[in-house]
Amino acid sequence: MTDLTLVIVNYKNPSDLYDCLATLTAYAKHDYHIIVADNNTDRAEQDNVDGVVSRIAYRPITVKHYWENLFPGGAWNRSMEFVDTEYVCMMQEDLVFVPAQHRFWERLIGVAKDPRVGMVGPSSNGADDYQYFLRTEAPERVKVHYIHGMMHLLRSDTLREIGPYATDITQACIDMCVRMAKAGLDLVIDRGAFVFHSGRGAFNRALGHDGAVRWLIDLIEDEPTIFMKRFGVETFYDYMNKSPNLGLKTMLYGDMGYAALLRELARQPEEWKPTGGTDGTV
């Protein structure tokens, strides 16, 4: 029985969409329903998406052409109208799945089924904090303050209860993480699940300044707290003010405040352990 829907947002990126779908269905198998949420506004781009999907053997895949650029948050919200599974995973199209990940979805669902958990994500090259795949000092399952918007899995009922995503382009996943935390729900990274993030997807394309965003991603892959330890908090503060990533600035300074940011320097990773009848597997 299908228990998982994957919602993949695409915007003018058929080549990465194909790589995502091809590697997903080859290396991260599961009985899932795939929805491609297409934010393209012209017929030619939509035909490209339809052509990509026709080359993928796996079914069911549903393409939803929204005829406007809703940004990831808006596309995820609208796509929830078509989700009837217990779990949903919101994704961008610039992800590549790797071999030896055959229990990828079982790992994430095994965490998400715990009622204390609001959101779970994999480790990645294109993430920060303990979601960054080279943070080897972190436990296999670790609590975090923020999960990158490239991919996060939730219980569908929890998402509907917490409310829709913010539709501002920089805020969708950050806003959702903050609301999950305020509702007393854990945000967890399962570092045993890994996905490669190219950083060329719907978010960056819609921002329209790929060069600046590429610079940001290259720097942030070194992980913000490590950056602060190496170069000092004031340097990091200046870097954030010059950064185009307004959402990350809002998260670090708007919600946490400067004092909380200083406390982050000394924060140790907190392991997440299953309770309440779950063992973290399915």
Side-chain angles (χ1 to χ4, degrees):
M1 178 179 178
T2 302
D3 62 350
L4 174 63
T5 299
L6 312 180
V7 179
I8 305 174
V9 176
N10 174 76
Y11 181 64
K12 297 184 178 181
N13 198 5
S15 60
D16 278 1
L17 176 63
Y18 176 80
D19 290 342
C20 179
L21 290 172
T23 57
L24 164 67
T25 55
Y27 302 134
K29 296 181 179 181
H30 191 80
D31 184 13
Y32 38 58
H33 176 203
I34 300 172
I35 297 175
V36 176
D38 182 28
N39 277 343
N40 289 305
T41 58
D42 62 83
R43 184 71 258 178
E45 291 285 356
Q46 293 174 353
D47 289 344
N48 287 336
V49 171
D50 293 336
V52 164
V53 171
S54 71
R55 295 162 58 194
I56 303 298
Y58 181 88
R59 292 296 182 270
I61 303 179
T62 302
V63 180
K64 296 296 183 181
H65 296 297
Y66 291 140
W67 289 97
E68 59 180 315
N69 186 6
L70 300 171
F71 305 129
W76 291 334
N77 289 339
R78 189 170 297 184
S79 298
M80 280 300 293
E81 300 172 14
F82 312 105
V83 173
D84 60 1
T85 52
E86 184 175 1
Y87 301 96
V88 61
C89 183
M90 302 305 188
M91 302 165 51
Q92 295 183 31
E93 82 278 43
D94 56 343
L95 301 176
V96 176
F97 294 80
V98 298
Q101 289 283 295
H102 296 295
R103 289 186 55 80
F104 183 92
W105 299 109
E106 287 81 356
R107 294 189 68 100
L108 297 185
I109 290 173
V111 176
K113 69 180 182 180
D114 190 309
R116 300 171 305 154
V117 174
M119 184 186 296
V120 59
S123 64
S124 179
N125 63 299
D128 43 287
D129 199 24
Y130 295 114
Q131 191 172 7
Y132 184 49
F133 77 117
L134 290 181
R135 292 297 301 271
T136 55
E137 78 277 22
E140 185 173 51
R141 294 182 179 121
V142 59
K143 293 182 183 181
V144 293
H145 297 305
Y146 168 66
I147 295 178
H148 198 292
M150 63 184 171
M151 172 188 287
H152 51 282
L153 187 143
L154 319 88
R155 294 186 303 279
S156 300
D157 289 346
T158 299
L159 177 55
R160 291 187 174 101
E161 179 181 346
I162 296 295
Y165 288 92
T167 55
D168 179 278
I169 186 171
T170 64
Q171 299 297 323
C173 197
I174 292 171
D175 176 76
M176 184 59 69
C177 287
V178 170
R179 282 189 281 155
M180 290 278 183
K182 288 181 177 179
L185 297 171
D186 290 338
L187 308 176
V188 179
I189 297 300
D190 188 321
R191 295 176 51 77
F194 171 83
V195 68
F196 179 83
H197 183 220
S198 73
R200 296 191 298 260
F203 180 86
N204 291 346
R205 286 173 180 268
L207 282 177
H209 49 250
D210 289 345
V213 172
R214 185 67 258 168
W215 167 82
L216 173 70
I217 291 171
D218 288 342
L219 199 54
I220 220 166
E221 282 180 355
D222 202 27
E223 202 277 325
T225 55
I226 290 178
F227 184 92
M228 285 186 277
K229 290 176 183 177
R230 288 180 180 173
F231 302 107
V233 173
E234 292 301 327
T235 301
F236 182 76
Y237 188 90
D238 290 340
Y239 147 68
M240 290 304 301
N241 283 338
K242 296 172 183 176
S243 148
N245 193 333
L246 301 178
L248 188 57
K249 284 197 290 189
T250 300
M251 178 185 68
L252 290 177
Y253 295 111
D255 189 69
M256 293 171 57
Y258 189 70
L261 179 61
L262 293 176
R263 290 196 296 271
E264 282 293 286
L265 292 173
R267 182 172 68 88
Q268 298 298 311
E270 181 180 356
E271 183 177 8
W272 178 86
K273 295 181 179 180
T275 59
T278 70
D279 61 1
T281 61
V282 294

